[in-house]
Amino acid sequence: MKETEFSDGWLSGLTQVVRDPVLYELLKNCPLEIMQRWVFEEVPRGAMLCRQGDKCQRFSLIVAGEVDVFFEAEDGRRYRQARYYKGDMLGELEIFESRHYICSVSAVTNTQILSLSQTHFCRWLELDNYFNQRMLRFFSQQYYQLSRKASSDNLYSLHQRVCQALWLQFQQQKTTEIFIDKQNISQEFAATTRSVNRILHDLKSLLIIDTEGERVVLLAPEQLKQEADI
């Protein structure tokens, strides 16, 4: 992981923030004394940004790229909680009391982040009421999405959730030929790839879909919708 403090390339880092509407909106009232404390990092694809169980000692903001937030079970299975993008925050829950990370975070793509120590993060909150309001909205959105996901996980069987995932892709792509990432689905639903394959095989036996590797062809979309219980 390559680190460059803004004290070395501070102007170029500041320019990157100012030119991006999403980042500028979040940081536009950040005091100069805090802006000078940001650390800019380039994280390669696949690298860990946070590791479950480690002590949190910094707050981070995603400048570019995508990351997965996941819980890892003792047997190595990963349960993906969310995918974060530009403007999303990391360590915002654990930073206040230097708690241990609840989940791990890994870079899905080459990613850039800005980080602050706990001391400077808390100082920012003291000085910037606008950022306080953004934090509250972020917490609200995060809690809403996690509650929605937890409700779905409890109310629907794995069979129904896989069908829902296929139906969602069908609705988004507007085509009966879609491609799925079985490992990604397994992590999102905390299931084994074998279980996902078994469900796809059952749907194929019912002539609802046809499959070839990661390629899925919807033969009976309305029947899939019924299986998804939507």
Side-chain angles (χ1 to χ4, degrees), residues 138-183:
F138 180 79
F139 284 141
S140 176
Q141 181 184 31
Q142 187 182 52
Y143 180 75
Y144 177 82
Q145 295 295 340
L146 289 175
S147 297
R148 185 177 179 181
K149 179 174 174 56
S151 297
S152 177
D153 290 347
N154 289 327
L155 290 175
Y156 297 100
S157 66
L158 179 60
H159 177 92
Q160 290 171 317
R161 283 182 285 154
V162 170
C163 291
Q164 289 169 2
L166 294 173
W167 176 258
L168 179 61
Q169 282 197 246
F170 168 62
Q171 291 291 294
Q172 291 175 339
Q173 299 178 18
K174 304 299 182 183
T175 176
T176 56
E177 184 174 329
I178 60 179
F179 291 86
I180 61 170
D181 186 333
K182 296 177 184 177
Q183 183 177 5

Side-chain angles (χ1 to χ4, degrees), residues 36-173:
Q36 291 175 318
R37 299 294 184 174
W38 284 108
V39 175
F40 180 71
E41 300 179 54
E42 295 182 355
V43 185
R45 176 183 178 183
M48 299 291 290
L49 289 84
C50 309
R51 194 174 297 277
Q52 179 181 322
D54 286 356
K55 188 176 182 180
C56 176
Q57 297 181 320
R58 65 177 184 171
F59 164 85
S60 298
L61 176 69
I62 300 174
V63 174
E66 302 176 12
V67 304
D68 271 348
V69 181
F70 61 90
F71 179 84
E72 190 165 4
E74 291 184 1
D75 61 6
R77 283 185 299 140
R78 292 183 174 184
Y79 178 33
R80 197 179 77 189
Q81 299 289 309
R83 177 162 290 183
Y84 284 177
Y85 305 89
K86 178 177 65 178
D88 285 331
M89 308 172 192
L90 303 174
E92 75 288 348
L93 295 175
E94 300 91 346
I95 187 66
F96 291 99
E97 298 181 3
S98 297
R99 297 180 181 273
H100 296 93
Y101 287 114
I102 301 172
C103 296
S104 294
V105 180
S106 64
V108 178
T109 64
N110 291 334
T111 301
Q112 297 175 331
I113 63 173
L114 291 170
S115 297
L116 278 177
S117 69
Q118 182 191 49
T119 300
H120 295 117
F121 171 75
C122 292
R123 178 61 175 162
W124 184 16
L125 290 178
E126 291 176 6
L127 298 174
D128 188 354
N129 184 61
Y130 175 79
F131 178 64
N132 269 289
Q133 297 300 316
R134 289 299 298 262
M135 284 284 290
L136 288 174
R137 287 197 292 270
F138 180 79
F139 284 141
S140 176
Q141 181 184 31
Q142 187 182 52
Y143 180 75
Y144 177 82
Q145 295 295 340
L146 289 175
S147 297
R148 185 177 179 181
K149 179 174 174 56
S151 297
S152 177
D153 290 347
N154 289 327
L155 290 175
Y156 297 100
S157 66
L158 179 60
H159 177 92
Q160 290 171 317
R161 283 182 285 154
V162 170
C163 291
Q164 289 169 2
L166 294 173
W167 176 258
L168 179 61
Q169 282 197 246
F170 168 62
Q171 291 291 294
Q172 291 175 339
Q173 299 178 18

